[in-house]
Amino acid sequence: MGNWVVIAEYYSDTYRTEFICRGQETKDQALTALHAALHTYLPSKNIVEKRRRVYRYADQESYLVVIKGKLTEWECTLRIAELISDSADPAVAKRAQMDVDAAEVADGPQDRIPPGY
């Protein structure tokens, strides 16, 4: 089980999240894909890369990538994420799939399908 993704988060007129790689089975596979993307990922904007700097956050699962172009500098955060309803951790997956009454407040993040779909 497991459905891990590699995402890029950045601000370009609005805040954006872009999926770089989907469907990784394990966290280790997602980290491998993340490390590969650190040196190859380019934003959808037309940037002619002159220099790239990669900063590691303390959690070691997130990185800040700063690309210096001819005219501009561009920044994004690359990280991994897991779909909680498909988690390999049974407690997380079970909690994500619980039905919650309208009056009951959930104690953690949940995937859900809105009524009528």
Side-chain angles (χ1 to χ4, degrees), residues 36-94:
L38 292 175
H39 303 289
T40 59
Y41 175 74
L42 286 173
S44 53
K45 293 186 164 254
N46 294 330
I47 293 181
V48 178
E49 183 178 335
K50 291 179 71 179
R51 182 183 73 218
R52 178 182 298 242
R53 292 194 174 181
V54 178
Y55 298 88
R56 182 183 69 194
Y57 288 105
D59 65 7
Q60 299 188 22
E61 295 176 359
S62 303
Y63 295 83
L64 174 65
V65 177
V66 180
I67 299 173
K68 172 78 171 143
K70 285 187 175 184
L71 302 174
T72 61
E73 189 170 89
W74 186 83
E75 303 164 350
C76 73
T77 301
L78 299 182
R79 63 182 64 197
I80 62 172
E82 181 185 26
L83 180 64
I84 61 173
S85 62
D86 201 19
S87 177
D89 182 349
V92 172
K94 182 179 178 185

Side-chain angles (χ1 to χ4, degrees), residues 9 21 28 68 96 107:
E9 298 173 318
C21 183
D28 288 338
K68 172 78 171 143
D107 65 346

Side-chain angles (χ1 to χ4, degrees), residues 89-113:
D89 182 349
V92 172
K94 182 179 178 185
R95 193 171 48 223
Q97 294 174 350
M98 290 186 325
D99 290 331
V100 178
D101 294 337
E104 187 179 347
V105 177
D107 65 346
Q110 297 186 2
D111 291 347
R112 71 179 192 93
I113 299 173

